[in-house]
Amino acid sequence: MIVAFSVQPTGEPSDPTLRRDLEQGSDAASVHDAVAAAVRIVRDSGLPHRTSSMFTEIEGEWDEVMDVVRRATEAAGCYGSRVSLVLKADIRPGRSGELDGKIERMEKALGRD
């Protein structure tokens, strides 16, 4: 399965030792530190993944993917008193390598025009 997810904490950090590092001119709504904490969990998982400006995609079996999403959400959640999770899943039993395979098929289709 492939899961695309996004996390966004709001409110004051639940961990009082965390400080948001906002550079001069940064938007106070920025959540890059929380997103970095979540992406670190994904990268450390060893599962195939890709991060873009809006979502992180991760591929694997149901239990392992959902465990990573849970831990990434918890990591981001330390930066706020609540966290919003947006998740979309493509569940295709018996398939793997689809994180790249879907893109390759689309590029091939574009080349036929």
Side-chain angles (χ1 to χ4, degrees):
M1 76 183 299
I2 298 172
V3 167
F5 75 102
S6 172
V7 292
Q8 179 179 347
T10 57
E12 292 298 315
S14 59
D15 181 343
T17 65
L18 291 177
R19 290 188 48 223
R20 293 181 64 213
D21 184 21
L22 295 178
E23 297 174 7
Q24 186 174 349
S26 290
D27 181 347
S30 178
V31 293
H32 61 271
D33 292 327
V35 171
V39 170
R40 189 170 293 113
I41 299 293
V42 172
R43 290 183 178 177
D44 289 349
S45 75
L47 294 175
H49 62 276
R50 180 179 297 127
T51 298
S52 67
S53 61
M54 300 270 301
F55 285 92
T56 294
E57 298 171 319
I58 186 168
E59 183 174 15
E61 296 299 319
W62 182 278
D63 289 340
E64 61 189 357
V65 168
M66 296 311 270
D67 177 61
V68 172
V69 170
R70 178 189 55 77
R71 290 185 294 117
T73 302
E74 289 170 350
C78 293
Y79 289 82
S81 56
R82 71 189 309 173
V83 63
S84 174
L85 169 65
V86 175
L87 185 141
K88 181 176 182 179
D90 180 5
I91 303 164
R92 292 182 78 184
R95 299 292 293 246
S96 64
E98 289 298 288
L99 195 62
D100 293 321
K102 292 173 81 165
I103 301 298
E104 291 166 2
R105 289 189 297 277
M106 186 253 332
E107 290 293 344
K108 185 176 180 180
L110 284 170
R112 290 193 300 252
D113 293 344

